[in-house]
Amino acid sequence: MRNPWGWAALTGFSLLFFVFIYAPLFVIVGYSFNSNPVNMMIWERFTLDWYTGLFGLTERVMDPNSRAAYIESTDQMIAALKTSLTVAAFTTTIATVLGTATAIALARYRFRLRGFYNGFLMLPMMMPDIVLGIGLLIFFVTLGMQLSMLTIVIGHCTFLTSYVFIIVQARIAGIDPALEEASADLGASEWVTLRKVLLPQLAPGILGGALLAFVISMDDLVITYFISGTGDTTLPVFIFGMIRRGVKPEINAIATLIILASVVIAAAGLWLRSRKTD
Amino acid sequence: MDSLLEIRGARREFVTPEGDRIAALDGVDLDVGAKEFVTLLGPSGCGKTTLLRAISGFEALDGGTIRLGGADLTALPPFRRPLNTVFQSYALFGHMTVARNVGYALEVAGVPKRRREAEVAEALDKVGLSGMGARRPGQLSGGQRQRVALARAIVAKPRLLLLDEPLSALDRNLRQQMQIELKTLQDRLGIAFVFVTHDQEEALTMSDRIVVMRAGRIEQIGAPRDIYRRPRNRFVAEFIGETNLFPVTVDRVEGPTALARTAEGVELLLPAAGRKPGEAITAILRPTDFTLADKGIPGTVRSAVYLGSDLHLFVAPAAGGPEIRVTARDGQAAETGAAVHLAHDPARVHVLEGG
Ligand SMILES: Nc1ncnc2c1ncn2[C@@H]1O[C@H](COP(=O)(O)OP(=O)(O)O)[C@@H](O)[C@H]1O
Ligand SMILES: [Mg+2]
């Protein structure tokens, strides 16, 4: 009894929806293989120059002036990537531990100011990035802290703890409290119950939260822009700097690599999740 | 006294979100013998779960004491109490295999793996799940999960097992089968069971003794037969099984029987012992206590329900008053609208003092 026109309209609409979402990504991927250095919107021919150039593997064929500038920035880019990965690793670890601990405490223990904590943890997520960035900058300057990788990690932890908290909290809400009671009933202390029952039950949520924290930390620009010093630049801040000096074809290559990395991480996450659920 | 569990003056109050105080336990005294199957029975909200959770330690008492085998448990946290629980939701650990679930108590107690495996196999065998150890709880049926929960709770050989409505999630056939299996298992293990249910039939089937509760208090404790035949008050009489309650006034005493009459004029015979003319009492007769006869209380069949071997009748007495429930045995026929007489043996009448 399906209306064929309605069906067609729905199909068309969903197709449009996916085009709308993914077209910009495909455009970037396509451009990254276009050899036209002047106008990337006009297809010349297929090339891997932008990729190899990125890693400083080959000499650049184009204008020698820009080639000098570029070799320098390859090292910078690798350094920025390293900074990003280091920051993301520390931030993910700290935010995951804090966020998980807070979610467990709020869900399983009664104490004063419980509601207050709950609301308070939402705040950094809803706060505009620019406000958070400026706030953190003023805070660090007031304390007399040098802007460095440490300040970036602290800054990222302030809001990523909230993200992990929200995700773990959602998971914990779906766990029957009787599981922990059963564990205690069978002779397990609170600590053993935490280790053998609650944490394994929460594992998919904790993993999801950690993955999200990692991705957001890698990706954050606005907040990091304020609290990164001249020495330690993260990848997004570095790319932003590059773009300000003009959109170069190499940007497309970097973006394509980042897309690839994201897809790999997301796929790994999904795979881990599907393994956990039975 | 050889009672295993001794509860004295247990009290527990809750404050509702509206700010009212409710006494979930209002002075409960209970003794459970070492090999006894005791059932806590009562309507929803009467405090059964609270009492069970007080015994397991998940609910603190506002007053009173709980002793197990002479040792005071009242201040011990749940994980230090030498008893185990079968939870209503089973509460199986989904991330562990069945075998690891069952062996959990031994695992946390540090029992070596070799011995643990032997005892897990033994416990699984006792509940009829041999060879299922490698599965995950998610791959089992409701009845099998129930058995895993049971095996997990008995693996450490507790002296007391607590069960909170463990059969309520099963369908009727499986439930009846499990009732028998539970009772058999309890006999074989030789340990005490405290079993919670709101299903009076279940309580009558399984228990050595039934504890009837209402609003945080114990109304009556007794063997199923006692509770059924000699309820101490109207609440117990009405809660356990189907009942006919007759508020009557004793008319006269003749030898071993007394004649009593309801306000409408329905006449009943009852044991004369202790009865005085003019006294107001309540006479209790179960539906099976009446037979269809030539003489007795005259009435008209209002409805007849055929249930397997029994015929359930609702008979309106000719004199008036509430309909009388009667179970006629197979072979005795009566149709709606038929005029009948209900006879009863005076000795079967149970009397509650007071109207
Ligand atoms: N945690 C609680 N907070 C507030 N009231 C409760 C709580 N637990 C139980 N009660 C109340 O105590 C009474 C007894 O509850 P419960 O022991 O669960 O009854 P049952 O198991 O017999 O149905 C009920 O009125 C219930 O609403
Ligand atoms: Mg209950």
Side-chain angles (χ1 to χ4, degrees):
Chain A
M1 291 300 128
R2 265 188 208 128
N3 175 353
W5 292 109
W7 192 244
L10 200 62
T11 312
F13 181 78
S14 357
L15 277 177
L16 262 177
F17 177 75
F18 282 110
V19 167
F20 180 70
I21 287 187
Y22 284 105
L25 299 181
F26 283 120
V27 167
I28 287 181
V29 175
Y31 286 175
S32 74
F33 296 111
N34 184 0
S35 69
N36 188 339
V38 185
N39 187 347
M40 61 178 81
M41 284 181 236
I42 297 168
W43 182 264
E44 216 174 66
R45 60 187 165 75
F46 181 85
T47 179
L48 288 174
D49 282 356
W50 313 129
Y51 289 91
T52 48
L54 225 49
F55 295 102
L57 289 178
T58 56
E59 298 285 295
R60 295 283 306 279
V61 275
M62 35 178 297
D63 174 30
N65 300 337
S66 93
R67 168 177 151 199
Y70 200 72
I71 286 166
E72 186 192 328
S73 61
T74 297
D75 293 341
Q76 279 178 358
M77 188 193 72
I78 300 291
L81 178 65
K82 275 187 189 153
T83 308
S84 272
L85 286 171
T86 314
V87 167
F90 276 107
T91 306
T92 302
T93 311
I94 298 169
T96 303
V97 170
L98 289 181
T100 303
T102 315
I104 292 175
L106 283 181
R108 289 295 185 259
Y109 298 93
R110 330 246 124 218
F111 48 87
R112 271 152 46 99
L113 299 180
R114 225 172 122 247
F116 173 77
Y117 269 97
N118 229 328
F120 213 64
L121 275 156
M122 298 283 190
L123 211 56
M125 281 178 58
M126 295 190 284
M127 190 101 74
D129 282 2
I130 195 142
V131 174
L132 207 57
I134 294 172
L136 282 164
L137 177 63
I138 294 173
F139 175 71
F140 291 134
V141 169
T142 310
L143 284 186
M145 282 178 80
Q146 281 287 328
L147 293 182
S148 66
M149 215 179 315
L150 178 66
T151 52
I152 306 179
V153 170
I154 295 174
H156 282 193
C157 283
T158 55
F159 62 100
L160 289 178
T161 299
S162 300
Y163 279 88
V164 175
F165 168 76
I166 300 284
I167 290 183
V168 176
Q169 194 191 37
R171 175 85 193 174
I172 218 171
I175 293 179
D176 183 1
L179 289 184
E180 290 144 78
E181 290 188 349
S183 173
D185 185 73
L186 294 162
S189 63
E190 277 189 56
W191 169 244
V192 173
T193 299
L194 179 71
R195 218 159 35 88
K196 290 186 185 265
V197 175
L198 191 54
L199 286 181
Q201 287 282 327
L202 287 178
I206 296 174
L207 202 74
L211 221 56
L212 188 70
F214 188 85
V215 170
I216 296 179
S217 171
M218 284 294 288
D219 163 81
D220 180 75
L221 171 66
V222 178
I223 295 168
T224 315
Y225 190 74
F226 284 95
I227 57 177
S228 59
T230 41
D232 296 308
T233 323
T234 62
L235 193 59
V237 175
F238 173 79
I239 294 173
F240 184 63
M242 265 178 93
I243 291 175
R244 281 203 308 182
R245 279 178 267 119
V247 180
K248 299 198 195 75
E250 289 85 355
I251 304 265
N252 295 326
I254 299 179
T256 304
L257 290 177
I258 293 178
I259 291 172
L260 194 68
S262 307
V263 168
V264 168
I265 292 179
L270 282 177
W271 181 70
L272 278 170
R273 256 182 83 135
S274 69
R275 260 187 3 145
K276 287 277 172 195
T277 46
D278 60 21
Chain B
M1 269 308 281
D2 62 340
S3 64
L4 174 70
L5 179 71
E6 294 173 17
I7 301 173
R8 291 290 173 272
R11 285 191 305 102
R12 174 70 166 137
E13 251 184 19
F14 288 112
V15 180
T16 63
E18 294 81 46
D20 301 327
R21 293 170 166 277
I22 32 169
L25 297 177
D26 191 8
V28 169
D29 297 328
L30 177 64
D31 285 272
V32 177
K35 297 181 179 184
E36 214 181 2
F37 196 123
V38 169
T39 299
L40 307 182
L41 176 66
S44 185
C46 71
K48 307 179 296 287
T49 297
T50 306
L51 181 55
L52 209 68
R53 289 172 62 81
I55 301 171
S56 54
F58 294 115
E59 210 67 78
L61 289 180
D62 296 327
T65 56
I66 298 173
R67 304 172 76 82
L68 185 73
D72 194 346
L73 292 188
T74 320
L76 289 184
F79 74 96
R80 293 205 193 285
R81 300 193 182 198
L83 49 87
N84 289 119
T85 306
V86 175
F87 290 81
Q88 184 168 13
S89 60
Y90 311 153
L92 298 179
F93 308 129
H95 60 287
M96 298 180 189
T97 61
V98 166
R100 192 155 168 237
N101 263 282
V102 173
Y104 189 80
L106 306 174
E107 180 184 328
V108 300
V111 174
K113 194 157 190 236
R114 183 76 59 82
R115 222 182 82 213
R116 210 158 75 205
E117 279 168 359
E119 297 199 17
V120 166
E122 191 190 320
L124 280 174
D125 189 48
K126 276 185 188 138
V127 300
L129 283 183
S130 300
M132 300 277 228
R135 306 235 186 136
R136 295 265 173 167
Q139 302 168 317
L140 303 179
S141 71
Q144 288 171 326
R145 277 183 224 183
Q146 162 78 72
R147 287 160 196 266
V148 174
L150 203 55
R152 185 178 66 176
I154 60 172
V155 78
K157 308 200 163 52
R159 283 188 291 168
L160 174 63
L161 194 67
L162 308 176
L163 306 97
D164 191 357
E165 310 212 15
L167 306 182
S168 59
L170 305 180
D171 65 50
R172 194 179 155 79
N173 282 336
L174 192 54
R175 197 161 72 222
Q176 286 175 339
Q177 185 193 335
M178 282 305 293
Q179 287 171 5
I180 296 163
E181 283 190 31
L182 269 180
K183 180 64 189 149
T184 316
L185 183 71
Q186 185 257 340
D187 278 339
R188 229 172 25 177
L189 293 173
I191 65 174
F193 274 30
V194 175
F195 182 95
V196 166
T197 184
H198 63 263
D199 179 345
Q200 42 99 8
E201 222 174 286
E202 197 164 281
L204 292 171
T205 312
M206 306 171 76
S207 322
D208 295 323
R209 281 193 304 155
I210 295 176
V211 178
V212 184
M213 293 181 66
R214 171 167 64 157
R217 295 177 157 277
I218 292 178
E219 293 287 327
Q220 188 170 0
I221 305 180
R225 203 176 164 71
D226 277 348
I227 300 262
Y228 186 75
R229 296 270 24 141
R230 284 187 293 281
R232 212 161 64 189
N233 54 37
R234 280 185 80 116
F235 173 78
V236 176
E238 285 179 319
F239 195 74
I240 311 280
E242 289 195 63
T243 314
N244 296 295
L245 291 170
F246 300 94
V248 291
T249 311
V250 178
D251 196 51
R252 57 182 191 274
V253 178
E254 288 172 351
T257 50
L259 183 80
R261 220 179 241 119
T262 65
E264 292 85 9
V266 175
E267 289 186 351
L268 294 174
L269 299 172
L270 37 104
R275 298 278 75 89
K276 290 182 287 293
E279 161 189 48
I281 55 171
T282 303
I284 295 179
L285 276 148
R286 299 289 179 181
T288 48
D289 293 337
F290 287 105
T291 47
L292 300 181
D294 300 331
K295 287 190 293 184
I297 305 163
T300 313
V301 176
R302 282 278 176 254
S303 57
V305 183
Y306 191 69
L307 279 177
S309 61
D310 294 332
L311 184 63
H312 290 237
L313 304 175
F314 290 82
V315 177
E323 289 178 1
I324 303 172
R325 294 154 175 245
V326 180
T327 307
R329 248 153 296 128
D330 200 16
Q332 288 191 306
E335 274 147 34
T336 305
V340 292
H341 289 269
L342 303 176
H344 69 273
D345 175 359
R348 305 286 288 180
V349 179
H350 177 64
V351 171
L352 295 180
E353 307 293 331

